[in-house]
């Protein structure tokens, strides 16, 4: 399989490249040239756009135009229904009393309102922080206090269904609003040293340990800003010292030795692979790929020294490992001298005299 268009699923470069490409399309086809059907208002977040048109007829014309630019990128539309339109995590509604629309938090039809249960064996701070961040989200999306109050009641009903107490929810909301509207006094003090300790979560005992340690450190080291992070404790998987083996074909950053399955050490080769070994052998430009012009391995197979000549993973051995390409070339040069291999032309490895020169200089 070869990636001929786009980026790999889950790649961290995906959103960045999508944003760059969309900005290129906007500059080339929207900003430089104005069309009669162009939107009067255009805002985009990565690949989601929000547009306003002066006529409903312009919507399909604009959609057909942008879909004709690149066949690999096809857009779809979602029109206003009953005076409202969803966009990302918001619902934008027409306002009867204001020229600006009302904006509220969007609740998708597939949302089941499930969080972790209030009786879950996790630190209490995790539960209050979950309420806090969702209240923060509702507060900053709502365009008015009326909408904020309505969305807050919807959020509260979800937490109550998950076993959270009404008191905890109300206290967390009060804490959030106090922080928003109560100015904090800025006090200039000596810079405090931040110390964080990671401990396994042990239930109520972890709360007691954190409180006791904080009291002791505050008494003896007042300039230390101490905190504890409760991590995951022992797991079933941690009781076993073994795990699934990493496939040899997926390994990279290694110096390998490979022998012919029929000729054995009489047809051996030493080489390096900075990326996955399977890609270095069978990928485009690899040592065993049919499109490669000439490699020692392909020449050996073409000469037909034996009826069962083949190079497979059974004949591969890992000789060394290095993080970078230059280190692999140095290590490969040293292993070539003492391996006695017969097939490698040594073009990709560092000559031995250069290896010793670098070692002596270091």
């Amino acid at each position: 399989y070869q990636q001929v268009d786009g980026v790999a699923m889950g790649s961290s470069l995906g959103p960045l490249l999508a944003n760059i490409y969309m900005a290129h399309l906007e500059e080339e086809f929207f900003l430089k040239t104005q069309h009669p059907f162009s939107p009067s208002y255009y805002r985009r977040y990565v690949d989601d756009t929000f547009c306003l048109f002066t006529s409903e007829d312009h919507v399909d014309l604009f959609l057909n135009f942008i879909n004709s630019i690149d066949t690999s990128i096809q857009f779809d539309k979602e029109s206003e229904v009953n005076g409202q339109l969803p966009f990302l995590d918001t619902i934008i509604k027409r306002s009867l009393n204001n020229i600006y629309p009302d904006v509220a938090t969007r609740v998708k039809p597939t949302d089941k309102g499930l969080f972790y249960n209030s009786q879950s064996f996790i630190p209490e701070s995790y539960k209050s922080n979950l309420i806090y961040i969702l209240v923060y989200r509702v507060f900053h999306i709502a365009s008015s206090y009326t909408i904020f109050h309505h969305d807050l009641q919807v959020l509260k009903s979800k937490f109550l269904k998950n076993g959270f107490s009404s008191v905890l929810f109300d206290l967390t909301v009060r804490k959030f609003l106090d922080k928003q509207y109560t100015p904090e006094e800025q006090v200039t003090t000596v810079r405090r040293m931040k110390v964080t300790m990671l401990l396994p979560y042990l239930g109520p005992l972890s709360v007691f340990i954190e409180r006791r340690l904080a009291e002791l450190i505050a008494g003896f080291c007042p300039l230390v800003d101490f905190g504890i992070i409760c991590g995951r404790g022992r797991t079933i998987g941690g009781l076993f010292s073994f795990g699934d083996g990493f496939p040899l074909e997926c390994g990279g950053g290694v110096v390998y030795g490979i022998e012919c399955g029929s000729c054995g050490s009489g047809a051996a080769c030493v080489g390096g692979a900075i990326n996955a070994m399977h890609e270095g052998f069978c990928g485009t430009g690899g040592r065993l790929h049919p499109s490669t012009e000439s490699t020692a391995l392909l020449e050996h197979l073409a000469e037909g020294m034996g009826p069962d000549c083949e190079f497979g993973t059974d004949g591969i051995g890992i000789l060394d490992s290095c993080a970078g390409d230059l280190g692999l070339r140095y290590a490969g040069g040293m292993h070539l001298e003492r391996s006695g291999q017969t097939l490698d032309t040594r073009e990709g490895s560092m000559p031995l005299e250069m290896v010793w020169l670098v070692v002596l200089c270091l």
Side-chain angles (χ1 to χ4, degrees):
Y1 174 81
Q2 293 184 351
Q3 186 85 27
V4 296
D5 197 6
V7 295
M9 181 67 69
S11 172
S12 58
L13 290 176
L16 176 62
L17 294 178
N19 192 34
I20 293 175
Y21 189 73
M22 288 299 300
H24 167 72
L25 292 183
E26 292 169 350
E27 183 177 355
E28 290 294 326
F29 298 98
F30 303 161
L31 300 181
K32 292 184 178 180
T33 304
Q34 290 293 328
H35 302 278
F37 48 78
S38 296
S40 58
Y41 183 87
Y42 180 93
R43 291 294 183 272
R44 176 180 59 84
Y45 182 81
V46 187
D47 58 348
D48 292 320
T49 59
F50 182 83
C51 303
L52 296 179
F53 295 89
T54 56
S55 174
E56 293 184 4
D57 298 334
H58 294 171
V59 177
D60 291 331
L61 293 175
F62 182 73
L63 179 64
N64 295 333
F65 169 71
I66 59 176
N67 284 337
S68 65
I69 297 175
D70 192 336
T71 57
S72 62
I73 299 182
Q74 295 296 297
F75 295 85
D76 198 2
K77 68 174 182 178
E78 188 171 0
S79 302
E80 173 186 350
V81 178
N82 296 328
Q84 61 183 21
L85 179 66
F87 181 67
L88 300 177
D89 290 342
T90 67
I91 287 288
I92 303 175
K93 307 176 182 179
R94 290 184 180 270
S95 177
L96 300 178
N97 303 321
N98 198 340
I99 60 174
Y100 298 104
D102 294 332
V103 183
T105 302
R106 178 187 181 186
V107 180
K108 296 183 179 179
T110 56
D111 181 22
K112 304 299 181 182
L114 295 178
F115 310 119
Y116 42 68
N117 194 272
S118 63
Q119 303 301 320
S120 299
F121 189 68
I122 55 176
E124 293 297 322
S125 59
Y126 286 17
K127 304 173 185 178
S128 59
N129 287 342
L130 175 63
I131 301 175
Y132 192 94
I133 60 175
L134 292 180
V135 172
Y136 177 94
R137 173 173 174 262
V138 169
F139 177 82
H140 284 85
I141 289 179
S143 59
S144 66
Y145 287 104
T146 302
I147 296 176
F148 172 62
H149 176 74
H150 175 269
D151 292 345
L152 198 64
Q153 296 303 314
V154 174
L155 183 63
K156 182 177 182 179
S157 65
K158 293 181 180 180
F159 276 101
L160 294 180
K161 292 179 181 179
N162 285 272
F164 285 75
S165 66
S166 177
V167 175
L168 176 61
F169 185 88
D170 294 339
L171 288 176
T172 307
V173 173
R174 177 178 297 179
K175 175 183 176 181
F176 170 79
L177 294 177
D178 287 344
K179 187 174 181 179
Q180 298 297 316
Y181 297 105
T182 302
E184 297 183 359
E185 296 182 1
Q186 299 294 332
V187 180
T188 303
T189 60
V190 178
R191 183 176 180 180
R192 298 167 63 89
M193 182 176 63
K194 187 174 182 62
V195 177
T196 304
M197 182 180 295
L198 178 63
L199 294 177
Y201 180 65
L202 304 174
L205 180 60
S206 296
V207 180
F208 172 77
I209 294 175
E210 180 179 5
R211 184 182 300 115
R212 184 59 179 154
L213 285 176
E215 293 174 354
L216 292 174
I217 293 178
F220 291 95
C221 304
L223 297 181
V224 173
D225 186 7
F226 177 75
I228 288 181
I229 298 177
C230 293
R232 183 177 61 177
R234 299 186 65 182
T235 61
I236 296 178
L239 302 177
F240 301 94
S241 59
F242 59 87
D244 295 335
F246 192 72
L248 181 63
E249 298 89 339
C250 299
V254 296
V255 177
Y256 61 83
I258 184 170
E259 296 180 353
C260 176
S262 176
C263 305
S265 58
C269 177
V270 172
I274 188 64
N275 297 318
M277 293 183 60
H278 180 272
E279 186 67 20
F281 280 103
C282 302
T284 303
R287 291 193 166 194
L288 293 176
H289 196 273
S291 63
T292 306
E293 294 183 0
S294 177
T295 66
L297 303 185
L298 289 176
E299 291 177 359
H300 177 77
L301 296 178
E303 292 172 359
M305 296 295 184
D308 299 324
C309 285
E310 65 174 354
F311 293 97
T313 56
D314 295 338
I316 297 178
I318 303 300
L319 305 179
D320 209 337
S321 62
C322 290
D325 181 64
L326 185 60
L328 284 178
R329 296 178 63 189
Y330 288 143
M334 300 181 68
H335 283 283
L336 279 171
E337 289 296 328
R338 54 187 183 183
S339 64
Q341 58 83 35
T342 57
L343 296 180
D344 199 301
T345 59
R346 310 188 181 191
E347 295 178 355
S349 301
M350 191 68 67
L352 187 60
E353 57 270 15
M354 290 295 298
V355 175
W356 287 119
L357 178 62
V358 173
V359 174
L360 291 176
C361 291
L362 293 176

